[in-house]
Amino acid sequence: MTQSIRVAVSTVILTLRRAESGEAVLALPLVLRTREPFADQWALPGGWLTSAESPVDASARTLSETTGLAPSYLEQLYAFGAVDRSPTRVVSIVYWALLRQDDVDAQSEAHRASGHAPENVRWFDVHDLPQLAFDHAKIIEYALWRLRNKVGYSRVAHGFLPSEFTLADLREAYEAILGKNLDPANFRRQVEASGNLLPTDRFRTGSHRPARLYRYNTDVALADRGPLGPEETSIR
Amino acid sequence: MTQSIRVAVSTVILTLRRAESGEAVLALPLVLRTREPFADQWALPGGWLTSAESPVDASARTLSETTGLAPSYLEQLYAFGAVDRSPTRVVSIVYWALLRQDDVDAQSEAHRASGHAPENVRWFDVHDLPQLAFDHAKIIEYALWRLRNKVGYSRVAHGFLPSEFTLADLREAYEAILGKNLDPANFRRQVEASGNLLPTDRFRTGSHRPARLYRYNTDVALADRGPLGPEETSIR
DNA sequence: CCAAAAGTGTTTTAAATACACCCATGC
DNA sequence: GCATGGGTGTATTTAAAACACTTTTGG
């Protein structure tokens, strides 16, 4: 009776993509379930935790199986265990991850070129989600709340961007996460004062005045995870 | 093979108590293990998750079994699942809780009066902990980090205090959590401006100038838990 | 030249911080 | 009266916000 509780690991995988309107929006991949319960409904990528694997490794593995990519950021979100959240008793350890938008673009281009993309996986804008299995709608809502929170006191937003980017790129990421526009002048000053950015001597041209490209300062962690070691938090 | 993973629930139970020196220090109850692994070592209170119970209920139950009390605050800390954290494969969902210091004092007085206190339970100051079983030392360190963090942007510190308290009481709690002294004048202004406190017309006398007693403003939540519902966060 | 985004400067507002000083009680 | 913590006042520093203005490109 202690048993009969199974442990699952799921991941909210977020990236930024450009909508038809031209603006950047948060998007995430979902998997179409083929079995009961909730057959033919969309769900978060994941699977059962096996005895040989840690939860964070299971999250990274299913993330890779779903998207073919490695995350730029991966953090535990919450362990969900309400008795009635599934017909059978399941505890889900849920992670959230960020993917670099250029990685995602390259991967979907590769899928289009080769003709075989992963089965039953589709990307959705976070503001246009389908009906979701289990309590996954609430879980995604919570992940987005955590991301909004964390963007205020860490540099997680960099997890969406390629290695070189303009301040407008970065501000666009912040605006998509927070759902509001930011003053370009003040944004520049704040992010420059944070010491997280290293200016390069390269510029992006193509429209109007060229914008300077920046890089991450890799001395600064993407987010403070406190005293937890790598075996419990990110990928080894 | 999916099975053979067991789910445990443990809780870091914190309160404030007065040391011999007279200053307030954080303290927590530990349980002496009677079985292998780690027999005769101290460990966090907890037990196996049963199929009829949610993790948060299990946490509240074992907290009550250990201390005889109900917590003023209870929040999930983290799910620990590294493969090698125990000789057998165990995933521990860990919570952290706050107890009101007056509740703890009353309970230990009752235990002394009746003569039967819980077996194998002892309270330790957080800066004077014994050798701990499993990864529980790291877990406690992480809980204290979370508490220090959270006290900066929420009113969790009130979880230690009785229903009526002076500003010096509250400041003492903050100082014990943060490990540094705060300016009484500025502390007063900040906490008054937060709108969390309701002044009463009562005063505490006994030494020097009487100090006004305050109450919680129960309209304000102890901490923002975001979009998570009560079935996953606190006690129902 | 004009539109538009990149980038700089300046002013205002709000919030910590530091610290001097007065108040009310027990002894 | 005096020591002590309770409580108020005020100046300084810091950071956020608002917004005018200059710069540099493509067309």
Side-chain angles (χ1 to χ4, degrees):
Chain A
M1 77 142 218
T2 291
Q3 288 311 329
S4 78
I5 300 177
R6 284 177 302 169
V7 180
V9 173
S10 299
T11 310
V12 181
I13 304 167
L14 296 167
T15 195
L16 269 188
R17 70 173 180 186
R18 204 150 299 282
E20 327 76 50
S21 65
E23 65 176 355
V25 293
L26 293 172
L28 83 176
L30 296 174
V31 176
L32 192 61
R33 289 182 59 84
T34 55
R35 297 183 218 172
E36 293 295 340
F38 295 99
D40 301 317
Q41 287 197 38
W42 296 94
L44 292 171
W48 300 116
L49 183 63
T50 64
S51 52
E53 207 174 25
S54 72
V56 67
D57 289 345
S59 170
R61 178 178 53 75
T62 57
L63 190 160
S64 168
E65 289 168 3
T66 307
T67 65
L69 297 170
S72 55
Y73 186 74
L74 180 60
E75 176 187 298
Q76 190 180 111
L77 180 66
Y78 201 80
F80 295 87
V83 175
D84 59 356
R85 62 182 292 276
S86 167
T88 62
R89 187 69 204 278
V90 176
V91 168
S92 287
I93 304 179
V94 179
Y95 286 76
W96 63 288
L98 304 186
L99 294 180
R100 279 169 47 163
Q101 54 185 171
D102 56 330
D103 286 349
V104 176
D105 290 347
Q107 187 66 292
S108 49
E109 183 49 46
H111 286 154
R112 179 164 33 242
S114 68
H116 28 65
E119 289 283 320
N120 295 327
V121 175
R122 192 187 296 176
W123 288 76
F124 294 87
D125 288 356
V126 295
H127 296 119
D128 190 25
L129 293 175
Q131 172 98 357
L132 282 154
F134 305 104
D135 48 3
H136 289 189
K138 272 251 174 288
I139 291 175
I140 292 172
E141 196 185 340
Y142 183 47
L144 294 172
W145 179 84
R146 264 277 260 286
L147 173 60
R148 277 194 300 272
N149 252 296
K150 204 138 198 166
V151 81
Y153 62 90
S154 78
R155 34 168 290 231
V156 272
H158 292 132
F160 288 133
L161 299 184
S163 57
E164 294 197 343
F165 51 88
T166 67
L167 289 180
D169 293 338
L170 183 57
R171 181 165 47 85
E172 188 177 42
Y174 273 78
E175 289 176 342
I177 292 167
L178 296 173
K180 65 176 181 186
N181 293 331
L182 302 172
D183 182 301
N186 294 331
F187 181 80
R188 163 183 300 272
R189 264 186 294 263
Q190 276 174 256
V191 81
E192 278 176 344
S194 75
N196 294 333
L197 293 191
L198 298 175
T200 71
D201 51 0
R202 309 195 332 114
F203 289 82
R204 176 180 302 160
T205 59
S207 66
H208 313 303
R209 175 173 175 175
R212 182 180 293 277
L213 290 167
Y214 290 81
R215 306 189 132 272
Y216 313 105
N217 181 353
T218 49
D219 293 347
V220 184
L222 225 60
D224 185 3
R225 284 205 275 292
L228 287 187
E231 67 281 355
E232 287 290 358
T233 52
S234 186
I235 327 167
R236 271 165 289 191
Chain B
M1 73 140 218
T2 291
Q3 288 313 326
S4 78
I5 301 177
R6 284 177 300 169
V7 181
V9 173
S10 298
T11 310
V12 181
I13 305 167
L14 297 167
T15 195
L16 268 188
R17 72 172 179 186
R18 203 150 300 279
E20 326 77 50
S21 66
E23 64 177 355
V25 292
L26 294 172
L28 83 177
L30 296 174
V31 177
L32 192 61
R33 289 181 60 82
T34 54
R35 296 183 219 172
E36 293 296 340
F38 296 98
D40 301 317
Q41 287 197 36
W42 296 93
L44 292 170
W48 300 115
L49 183 63
T50 64
S51 52
E53 206 174 25
S54 72
V56 67
D57 288 346
S59 170
R61 180 178 50 77
T62 57
L63 191 161
S64 168
E65 289 168 2
T66 307
T67 66
L69 297 170
S72 55
Y73 185 72
L74 181 60
E75 178 188 295
Q76 189 180 112
L77 180 66
Y78 202 79
F80 294 87
V83 174
D84 59 356
R85 61 182 294 275
S86 167
T88 63
R89 187 69 203 279
V90 176
V91 168
S92 286
I93 304 178
V94 180
Y95 286 76
W96 63 289
L98 304 185
L99 294 180
R100 280 170 47 164
Q101 52 185 171
D102 56 330
D103 286 350
V104 176
D105 291 347
Q107 187 66 292
S108 49
E109 182 49 45
H111 286 153
R112 180 165 31 242
S114 68
H116 29 63
E119 290 283 321
N120 296 326
V121 175
R122 193 187 298 174
W123 288 75
F124 293 88
D125 288 357
V126 294
H127 295 118
D128 189 25
L129 293 176
Q131 172 98 355
L132 282 155
F134 305 104
D135 49 1
H136 289 188
K138 273 250 174 291
I139 291 175
I140 292 172
E141 196 186 340
Y142 183 46
L144 294 172
W145 179 83
R146 261 281 258 287
L147 174 59
R148 278 195 299 273
N149 250 298
K150 204 138 198 167
V151 80
Y153 62 89
S154 77
R155 37 169 289 232
V156 271
H158 292 131
F160 288 133
L161 300 183
S163 58
E164 294 197 342
F165 51 89
T166 67
L167 290 180
D169 293 338
L170 183 58
R171 181 165 47 85
E172 188 176 41
Y174 273 77
E175 290 176 340
I177 293 168
L178 295 173
K180 65 177 182 185
N181 292 332
L182 301 173
D183 182 301
N186 294 331
F187 180 80
R188 163 184 298 272
R189 263 186 294 263
Q190 276 173 256
V191 81
E192 277 177 344
S194 74
N196 293 333
L197 293 191
L198 297 175
T200 70
D201 52 1
R202 309 198 328 117
F203 290 81
R204 175 180 302 161
T205 60
S207 66
H208 315 304
R209 176 173 174 177
R212 183 179 293 277
L213 290 166
Y214 290 81
R215 306 188 132 273
Y216 313 104
N217 181 352
T218 49
D219 293 347
V220 184
L222 226 59
D224 184 4
R225 283 205 278 291
L228 288 186
E231 68 281 353
E232 288 289 357
T233 52
S234 189
I235 328 166
R236 269 164 289 190

